[in-house]
Amino acid sequence: MIRVENLHKAFGGQQVLQGLTLEVNTGEIMIVIGRSGGGKSVFLRHLLGLLRPDAGRIWVDGVEITALRGHEMDKVRERYGVVFQGGALFDSLTVFDNVAFPLREKTALAASEIAARVEEKLAQVGLSGAGHKYPDEVSGGMRKRAAIARALVTEPQIVFFDEPTTGLDPVLVNAIHHLILDLHRKFRFTAVMVSHEIPEIFEIAQRVAMLHDGVIVEAGDPQAIQESGNPVVQQFIRGQIEGPIRAI
Amino acid sequence: MNTGPSETFVRPVEALGRISLDVVESLGRFGLFLGQAAVWTFVPPFKVLQLLQRIHFIGFRSLSVIILTGAFTGMVLGLQVFLTLSRFGSEAFLGPAVALSLIRELGPVLAALMVTGRAGSALTAEIGIMRITEQIDALTVMALNPMRYLIVPVIVAGLITFPLMTAIFDVVGIFGGYLVGVRLLGLSEGTYFGEMQTFVDMADIWVGFWKSLCFGVVVTWVCAYKGYYTGHGAEGVSRATTEAVVLSSVLILVWDYFLGSVLP
Ligand SMILES: Nc1ncnc2c1ncn2[C@@H]1O[C@H](COP(=O)(O)OP(=O)(O)OP(=O)(O)O)[C@@H](O)[C@H]1O
Ligand SMILES: [Mg+2]
């Protein structure tokens, strides 16, 4: 279980997180929605231990990661898989080597076994045949999918997705969502996913949380969110211009 | 807006304080960076492949530049020193004069400056781009220490390649001096190399060696640091690259003076 309590973060004078509190149960897919620039990526970076909060605490399975440093934090990260918003593929390695990288570095698997697993993952994200290309030789959507393959190839227990489907065509969006659901059924990982894909996310999330003005204004199962009485949530999931959220 | 005397007095002091704090903080970070790299150098597993790639990148691919500049430095030295010495009728000392200036000063300094321009700037840009595209963060969240993966191989490669590059620079330079002094200006070959053996001590070679070792650390340290803590976007990377080259070059010359006055 991931527990986030009263998280605060400011950059310079800009308050981004202002008391964010959230719980993610083990084995569930939690999808975080919210305005662009609202601090979703900043929130994820705290969960990854890449940013330190100004105040507030985070526990992952009872371990307070906000108090951890270096080696101890790495122990927690061993269980992570991460899809960064920009993919963050290593640009000096081919797509195949990118996906193979965590296996080569973190496991003692034989080269043939690694190759088999990488090919399998690449096939699952529809990239078989593109493994020999470099990240700058494939399309943006293919980079996204390669990043997903790299994050999942180690079969992590906790997976973080930062907008894994943004910029993909609708067919691929669906395919990726199904892939995530399939793998989730198989491996029962805990997932924290930032996504703008409304309404598809209501099909795949166990719970949805809305981040607004630096706090989680509402969290609940997809049904509860869709029927929420909170005008902020309603405006957001309907994409209305009129409402408590200032459009521009 | 309150612009009373206390305000006009406090503002500059406050700004000064903030600047001093910033300077102290970044100096601390700069030192800590090398300290961390030093610690991770001795913690297995060692990234041998990365190290070999860096040696190839910093050393092997700088060879042509080193040979070219070394040859011309030696030739210029041969010519100028010969002309100067001939005024005192002591052309015989051309060999040791060329060899000593190359081995003690010019070899380490110029080789370091050349490698900085060729490889150091590229290194900063490469690490800087990895930073702004979150590749370094990706390493971190894979529980793979970016210090060990990126920085240590660079600095160790600097330690290994700089003395070698310097040695090559020296040898080629001495040969360049030979071409001009002996082949062109008619000094006898025996005099050129014979006097060199008489006057150049092992101590001089050690001075050059220590210098090149220090420059190897300084250059890779500065260039890796500037890339690692690069600013935002393409402009941040380009600024980091410029700063890395300028700071490396300045530090090379400052260190050269310092070492020159401390070493025998
Ligand atoms: N390193 C940083 N330094 C300064 N400000 C930052 C930094 N990182 C994020 N911010 C600011 O924090 C705010 C939230 O950014 P964040 O990237 O979390 O948005 P987001 O919710 O992920 O948006 P999007 O959906 O567009 O990705 C933004 O206003 C951004 O300018
Ligand atoms: Mg984001």
Side-chain angles (χ1 to χ4, degrees), chain B residues 145-158:
Chain B
N145 189 303
M147 272 287 163
R148 171 177 15 231
Y149 270 78
L150 281 178
I151 310 302
V152 169
V154 167
I155 295 181
V156 175

Side-chain angles (χ1 to χ4, degrees), chain A residues 11 14 16 35-42 85 163 196:
Chain A
F11 293 106
Q14 183 196 2
V16 178
R35 296 286 314 267
S36 180
K40 302 182 299 295
S41 296
V42 168
Q85 193 165 358
E163 304 193 16
H196 291 303

Side-chain angles (χ1 to χ4, degrees), chain A residues 47-188:
Chain A
L47 296 177
L48 301 175
L50 293 172
L51 285 175
R52 294 208 163 255
D54 300 336
R57 298 195 284 181
I58 299 170
W59 289 265
V60 174
D61 291 335
V63 181
E64 190 188 340
I65 63 164
T66 32
L68 297 184
R69 304 199 137 260
H71 181 63
E72 290 165 329
M73 186 67 217
D74 278 348
K75 275 213 184 108
V76 178
R77 287 181 182 133
E78 303 268 349
R79 306 163 50 207
Y80 282 7
V82 185
V83 180
F84 283 89
Q85 193 165 358
L89 295 174
F90 300 119
D91 50 21
S92 58
L93 301 181
T94 61
V95 167
F96 182 95
D97 288 336
N98 260 287
V99 180
F101 187 83
L103 291 178
R104 287 183 182 146
E105 296 298 338
K106 308 299 296 186
T107 68
L109 293 175
S112 57
E113 172 68 21
I114 289 179
R117 288 198 194 187
V118 172
E119 286 301 346
E120 184 198 347
K121 272 286 168 304
L122 285 178
Q124 282 173 344
V125 296
L127 281 182
S128 18
H132 63 284
K133 296 197 172 179
Y134 284 89
D136 60 358
E137 295 174 335
V138 300
S139 76
M142 290 162 91
R143 273 200 289 279
K144 272 259 148 84
R145 286 182 277 155
I148 293 171
R150 185 178 70 180
L152 296 178
V153 75
T154 50
E155 292 168 10
Q157 295 164 5
I158 307 174
V159 194
F160 301 90
F161 299 94
D162 197 345
E163 304 193 16
T165 53
T166 304
L168 302 186
D169 66 61
V171 178
L172 264 178
V173 170
N174 243 323
I176 295 291
H177 282 161
H178 274 101
L179 170 68
I180 292 173
L181 271 183
D182 269 358
L183 292 170
H184 182 253
R185 246 176 246 126
K186 233 194 208 152
F187 298 111
R188 286 283 141 204

Side-chain angles (χ1 to χ4, degrees), chain B:
Chain B
M1 187 113 148
N2 178 4
T3 48
S6 68
E7 186 82 350
T8 42
F9 178 70
V10 167
R11 276 273 168 77
V13 174
E14 191 184 302
L16 194 69
R18 191 164 329 119
I19 291 171
S20 328
L21 277 180
D22 281 353
V23 168
V24 171
E25 188 191 325
S26 50
L27 275 180
R29 206 170 55 177
F30 188 46
L32 210 61
F33 187 76
L34 185 65
Q36 280 179 338
V39 171
W40 285 107
T41 304
F42 299 102
V43 181
F46 305 111
K47 307 313 300 176
V48 178
L49 191 68
Q50 267 90 343
L51 177 61
L52 290 178
Q53 281 170 351
R54 290 308 184 184
I55 291 177
H56 175 83
F57 180 74
I58 300 175
F60 186 72
R61 292 186 40 200
S62 306
L63 259 183
S64 50
V65 179
I66 291 293
I67 290 174
L68 203 66
T69 48
F72 278 97
T73 308
M75 286 160 71
V76 169
L77 272 179
L79 186 65
Q80 294 302 330
V81 174
F82 185 89
L83 293 179
T84 312
L85 288 178
S86 63
R87 294 192 187 181
F88 315 107
S90 33
E91 300 92 330
F93 297 117
L94 179 68
V98 168
L100 281 177
S101 25
L102 275 173
I103 290 170
R104 290 187 64 106
E105 289 293 336
L106 293 176
V109 171
L110 288 181
L113 289 175
M114 287 302 144
V115 177
T116 303
R118 226 272 323 146
S121 52
L123 221 76
T124 308
E126 185 190 327
I127 296 176
I129 287 173
M130 291 189 74
R131 163 64 72 194
I132 63 170
T133 55
E134 296 186 311
Q135 293 176 52
I136 292 183
D137 293 329
L139 275 179
T140 309
V141 298
M142 287 177 193
L144 298 170
N145 189 303
M147 272 287 163
R148 171 177 15 231
Y149 270 78
L150 281 178
I151 310 302
V152 169
V154 167
I155 295 181
V156 175
L159 271 172
I160 294 171
T161 51
F162 272 60
L164 288 174
M165 292 296 114
T166 304
I168 292 169
F169 190 99
D170 291 348
V171 170
V172 175
I174 288 171
F175 188 71
Y178 161 86
L179 277 185
V180 172
V182 176
R183 286 294 152 106
L184 212 63
L185 300 172
L187 192 73
S188 97
E189 190 175 322
T191 319
Y192 185 78
F193 287 114
E195 295 296 320
M196 205 181 284
Q197 277 169 11
T198 317
F199 284 99
V200 178
D201 283 336
M202 201 54 208
D204 299 311
I205 292 172
W206 278 117
V207 169
F209 175 74
W210 287 121
K211 280 185 176 177
S212 64
L213 218 51
C214 288
F215 297 158
V217 175
V218 167
V219 169
T220 49
W221 173 25
V222 169
C223 292
Y225 171 84
K226 285 288 178 187
Y228 200 77
Y229 290 105
T230 193
H232 304 284
E235 199 195 324
V237 175
S238 80
R239 187 168 328 116
T241 309
T242 313
E243 284 173 6
V245 172
V246 171
L247 186 59
S248 297
S249 310
V250 169
L251 284 182
I252 287 170
L253 294 174
V254 171
W255 259 106
D256 183 53
Y257 175 79
F258 177 74
L259 286 176
S261 54
V262 173
L263 294 172

